[in-house]
Amino acid sequence: MEKKIIRNIKILIVVALIAAFVWFIVVSPMITFHKNEESLENAAKRYFEINKEQLPTGERVKTITLKELYNDSYLKEDFYSPYSKKSCSITNSWVKVRRENNEFKYYVYLDCGILNSKIDHDGPDIKLNGDSKITLGVDEVYKELGVKSVVDNNDGKLDVKDVTIKGKVDTSKIGTYEIEYIAFDKLSNKTVVTREVSVVKKIKNVVKKDLGNVTNYSGNPTNNYIMLSNMIFRIFGLDDNDNVIIVADQDIANVNHSKLDKWLNYYYKHLNSDAKKMLVKSKFCNMDITDNTLDTLQCNSYTKEKNVYIPSIVEVNKAQAGDTNFMKTFTMSWVSNKKSDKEAYVTRKYFVGDAAGKSFLSYNIDDNYGVRPMMIMNGNTNILGGDGSFLNPYYFEDINIGATSSLVNERKTGEYIEDHGTLWRIIDTMDDGTTKVITVDTLGYGMDSPKIYTEAEIIKYNPNNKNNIAYYINNNLNDYVDTSNFVNHEIEVPIYKDKIIYGKEIETKKYKVKLSAPNMYEMFSAQSATEKFANSRSYWLLNTSNTKRKTGAITDIGVPVNEEMQLYDTYGFRLVAYLKKDKVIVSGEGTYYYPYIIK
């Protein structure tokens, strides 16, 4: 019996505790909250009794906020959210009054955080016709799309004609404009929905306006430069779909004409992902040409759809055949057209000797000459800035400048880095976190360059041989470049049976070095000398042949050596190295004129 009494007492205690908990946590706060609602309503009634002229007429609704009642001294006590010292919202809390059946009815909404009144306080749901974000080109017509529907959770479907539309769009000026759509329900709860209209320069419209009645640029224009994937391109013109044809401003590498497609796939992989989204596949001119038809302006044969190709004789001719033709290179660069199964054509600004004045010469398709990738850019791509000049090219949404203190190995192919006064360009980020870079300029050009000796029957790039150019590059160039931020890294030296042909190496030799010569087929390994870049001269390459005195080098005019080296030939140096993986950006934008400074 005694145990039963004790058990019942315990039960009563638990029940009492639960009741106290419910009172403290639920009931008491709700009682206080409802008293506050009543106080708010009474204050509003006193206000309108004194200010009867403020009462609404007809079907109108008059709102007075908790803040206004405080300011006019109709309320003195503060309202707080339960279990906190945080005041209830004085701007979101209000009383609305409306005349119904010849009487004024008051609606109270008190917002106290976790507790708020059950009265309708949400505005209607507005759905727009069209997208909430619209992009227009400069001088395009903005057509107001209006409102599709307005629905309130209490009042049901409302008339779209009652929506107020505010804002204007000036398509003559680049910028972002906001159009506001404002609607009220029957209790004057307000909703504002915004449509964002961006007025931008579309690349096709800029090119159309600039070209007028023609379809391509000619001569040497100064306003057709763009920056895409950290590389400078020239705009050639428009295709039949108003897409924009672009071509690299300089050779990226030197490649055999017979292996163009394979190398161009490699190049396309190195474009950044945002840039690729702006490109469209297209067919490119590649018809065969004879020496008698080199002046043609018509194409009668095209490739299958490709992401990237190279210019044809037709594009070069359309841009005019004079020396000022921007489609001709300072170096010697392939065009897409073959003369036969064994020969294809190159172009350049100035041929000399018997070829002086010519625009094209034919060479063996297994020779190495410059490659300028050509691509098609979606004409609707938005220009973010720039004026089309070389110093300030048009740029797009693929631009992504590295933040201060961010790692260099997070940067992209093509960006520029300055280290201890030497300008480098990023080739790639390696799996081990190092960053592979190449010097922009030629170092050590002059009489102090190593020579090809008469006894050298076979020249193989070998950093372990003290008599080899590779050894000199790795060990004797501290006078030209500071290597404190670089690490030793394994390189592969491609070795060919006879001619140096992309993808046709018969073996590779691996060495661990800090500095090496470039591979002829890597990104940015071609001579960068143009009228704008005048500091790149001849330099050694690491490509090696098993044939007597055949090795890789670029001559002073940017042309690879496609034959046996001559005795005592001399060349300077462009270097490839690997930045330590912990190197960070101190400043800069990653461009030629504003490179990243690193530490």
Side-chain angles (χ1 to χ4, degrees):
M1 184 69 177
E2 184 178 346
K3 289 182 179 180
K4 186 175 181 181
I5 293 172
I6 293 172
R7 186 174 67 251
N8 289 337
I9 291 173
K10 288 181 178 179
I11 292 172
L12 289 173
I13 292 172
V14 170
V15 171
L17 288 173
I18 292 173
F21 178 80
V22 171
W23 171 266
F24 179 75
I25 297 298
V26 180
V27 177
S28 179
M30 288 301 298
I31 291 174
T32 300
F33 180 78
H34 289 314
K35 285 182 178 179
N36 290 340
E37 285 182 314
E38 186 177 349
S39 296
L40 178 57
E41 182 177 354
N42 290 334
K45 287 179 177 179
R46 288 197 300 275
Y47 172 85
F48 286 109
E49 285 174 1
I50 296 172
N51 302 281
K52 292 182 179 179
E53 73 279 2
Q54 295 294 326
L55 285 166
T57 58
E59 295 183 355
R60 296 178 182 177
V61 175
K62 180 65 178 183
T63 303
I64 188 164
T65 64
L66 178 57
K67 181 180 180 180
E68 291 172 310
L69 293 170
Y70 279 140
N71 290 343
D72 292 342
S73 300
Y74 288 91
L75 273 173
K76 294 183 179 179
E77 70 272 22
D78 291 329
F79 299 155
Y80 294 98
S81 298
Y83 327 116
S84 75
K85 294 182 179 180
K86 185 176 180 181
S87 298
C88 299
S89 174
I90 61 174
T91 53
N92 288 340
S93 300
W94 43 256
V95 177
K96 296 190 178 193
V97 59
R98 183 172 64 185
R99 192 179 186 89
E100 298 177 11
N101 298 322
N102 294 321
E103 293 184 359
F104 290 105
K105 185 172 181 180
Y106 290 82
Y107 297 87
V108 179
Y109 178 71
L110 183 59
D111 181 2
C112 296
I114 61 174
L115 289 178
N116 53 71
S117 304
K118 302 304 180 184
I119 198 71
D120 177 22
H121 61 280
D122 293 323
D125 179 45
I126 302 174
K127 283 187 169 41
L128 302 178
N129 286 319
D131 296 329
S132 61
K133 290 187 177 182
I134 295 176
T135 300
L136 295 173
V138 173
D139 294 329
E140 284 190 31
V141 176
Y142 172 69
K143 183 179 180 181
E144 177 53 57
L145 298 175
V147 175
K148 183 177 183 180
S149 64
V150 184
V151 179
D152 186 69
N153 56 354
N154 283 320
D155 302 328
K157 190 173 181 180
L158 304 178
D159 194 338
V160 296
K161 294 179 181 179
D162 293 333
V163 176
T164 301
I165 302 176
K166 291 184 177 181
K168 292 183 178 180
V169 177
D170 184 354
T171 61
S172 68
K173 297 179 181 179
I174 294 174
T176 300
Y177 301 86
E178 290 187 348
I179 305 297
E180 288 186 342
Y181 303 84
I182 305 166
F184 297 87
D185 64 9
K186 292 180 180 179
L187 204 52
S188 266
N189 293 312
K190 180 180 179 181
T191 297
V192 179
V193 172
T194 301
R195 193 195 306 273
E196 186 178 283
V197 182
S198 297
V199 179
V200 300
K201 281 185 179 179
K202 291 186 178 180
I203 185 67
K204 68 177 182 183
N205 294 339
V206 170
V207 176
K208 277 183 179 180
K209 184 175 181 180
D210 200 32
L211 291 178
N213 295 324
V214 298
T215 59
N216 63 268
Y217 288 90
S218 60
N220 192 22
T222 59
N223 62 339
N224 69 335
Y225 292 89
I226 72 167
M227 172 75 78
L228 186 69
S229 196
N230 309 307
M231 302 177 215
I232 297 291
F233 292 82
R234 304 290 291 270
I235 300 171
F236 172 76
L238 295 168
D239 68 7
D240 293 338
N241 298 312
D242 280 347
N243 292 319
V244 179
I245 306 166
I246 62 174
V247 60
D249 184 43
Q250 62 188 58
D251 296 335
I252 304 298
N254 289 281
V255 186
N256 323 103
H257 199 282
S258 57
K259 297 296 178 181
L260 277 178
D261 282 339
K262 184 181 174 98
W263 184 87
L264 289 170
N265 287 335
Y266 155 84
Y267 169 81
Y268 184 76
K269 289 178 182 177
H270 280 77
L271 299 178
N272 68 48
S273 57
D274 288 329
K276 289 178 182 176
K277 294 175 184 177
M278 302 175 195
L279 302 174
V280 294
K281 283 187 173 183
S282 184
K283 296 178 180 180
F284 295 85
C285 181
N286 73 337
M287 65 182 180
D288 291 347
I289 295 284
T290 68
D291 288 345
N292 295 325
T293 57
L294 290 176
D295 60 350
T296 182
L297 295 173
Q298 300 295 324
C299 186
N300 57 30
S301 180
Y302 294 86
T303 65
K304 295 180 180 179
E305 286 192 344
K306 295 176 177 289
N307 292 308
V308 56
Y309 204 51
I310 63 171
S312 71
I313 282 176
V314 172
E315 278 92 31
V316 177
N317 287 338
K318 283 184 175 181
Q320 296 182 356
D323 292 336
T324 60
N325 187 330
F326 77 98
M327 292 297 290
K328 294 181 180 180
T329 56
F330 176 85
T331 56
M332 289 174 66
S333 184
W334 288 116
V335 290
S336 64
N337 312 90
K338 287 183 180 180
K339 180 179 180 179
S340 67
D341 290 341
K342 294 183 179 180
E343 291 184 89
Y345 289 97
V346 300
T347 189
R348 70 170 306 182
K349 286 190 181 298
Y350 311 106
F351 287 113
V352 297
D354 294 339
K358 292 187 177 181
S359 294
F360 309 101
L361 292 177
S362 59
Y363 288 92
N364 190 304
I365 61 172
D366 286 333
D367 286 347
N368 292 285
Y369 289 109
V371 179
R372 297 175 71 192
M374 175 176 269
M375 298 180 292
I376 311 297
M377 191 175 193
N378 190 315
N380 289 315
T381 302
N382 299 329
I383 297 174
L384 295 188
D387 59 15
S389 66
F390 176 74
L391 295 179
N392 190 24
Y394 297 125
Y395 59 88
F396 311 93
E397 293 178 356
D398 67 311
I399 194 167
N400 177 21
I401 297 173
T404 301
S405 299
S406 63
L407 291 169
V408 175
N409 62 16
E410 296 174 348
R411 303 316 310 150
K412 305 297 183 181
T413 296
E415 292 186 281
Y416 292 86
I417 294 167
E418 184 178 320
D419 179 46
H420 293 92
T422 300
L423 189 62
W424 302 80
R425 199 171 189 187
I426 295 175
I427 294 176
D428 217 340
T429 298
M430 312 307 290
D431 291 338
D432 61 2
T434 58
T435 306
K436 190 175 186 179
V437 294
I438 183 172
T439 56
V440 174
D441 298 330
T442 301
L443 308 175
Y445 179 82
M447 296 302 294
D448 60 342
S449 300
K451 296 177 175 58
I452 303 297
Y453 293 100
T454 54
E455 63 265 33
E457 292 295 316
I458 296 178
I459 308 163
K460 288 188 178 179
Y461 191 92
N462 183 358
N464 297 330
N465 184 340
K466 290 186 177 181
N467 295 320
N468 195 276
I469 295 161
Y471 183 89
Y472 184 93
I473 289 173
N474 192 43
N475 296 281
N476 297 93
L477 291 180
N478 291 330
D479 290 340
Y480 299 104
V481 61
D482 188 302
T483 61
S484 58
N485 282 328
F486 297 97
V487 296
N488 286 318
H489 200 279
E490 187 176 80
I491 64 168
E492 288 190 356
V493 175
I495 301 170
Y496 306 85
K497 182 179 179 181
D498 183 12
K499 277 195 170 185
I500 299 172
I501 300 176
Y502 181 66
K504 286 291 186 178
E505 58 271 10
I506 58 174
E507 63 175 318
T508 58
K509 293 285 187 181
K510 294 183 179 180
Y511 302 98
K512 205 163 190 178
V513 297
K514 187 171 281 190
L515 297 173
S516 70
N519 184 323
M520 182 191 301
Y521 301 122
E522 282 187 317
M523 298 288 288
F524 318 120
S525 61
Q527 190 187 71
S528 59
T530 69
E531 290 86 349
K532 282 88 66 177
F533 301 97
N535 298 321
S536 187
R537 302 289 185 86
S538 67
Y539 49 93
W540 294 103
L541 300 166
L542 57 70
N543 307 77
T544 296
S545 173
N546 275 335
T547 300
K548 174 182 176 181
R549 286 204 298 274
K550 279 195 176 178
T551 191
I554 302 294
T555 68
D556 203 30
I557 60 172
V559 179
V561 178
N562 288 304
E563 304 296 337
E564 288 185 7
M565 289 285 183
Q566 301 300 308
L567 301 181
Y568 302 107
D569 278 350
T570 62
Y571 297 92
F573 305 99
R574 285 184 72 195
L575 304 177
V576 171
Y578 296 81
L579 277 167
K580 295 176 181 177
K581 61 184 179 181
D582 62 347
K583 295 294 101 182
V584 297
I585 295 169
V586 175
S587 62
E589 299 178 3
T591 63
Y592 178 83
Y593 290 101
Y594 303 99
Y596 295 129
I597 308 299
I598 66 171
K599 70 173 182 178

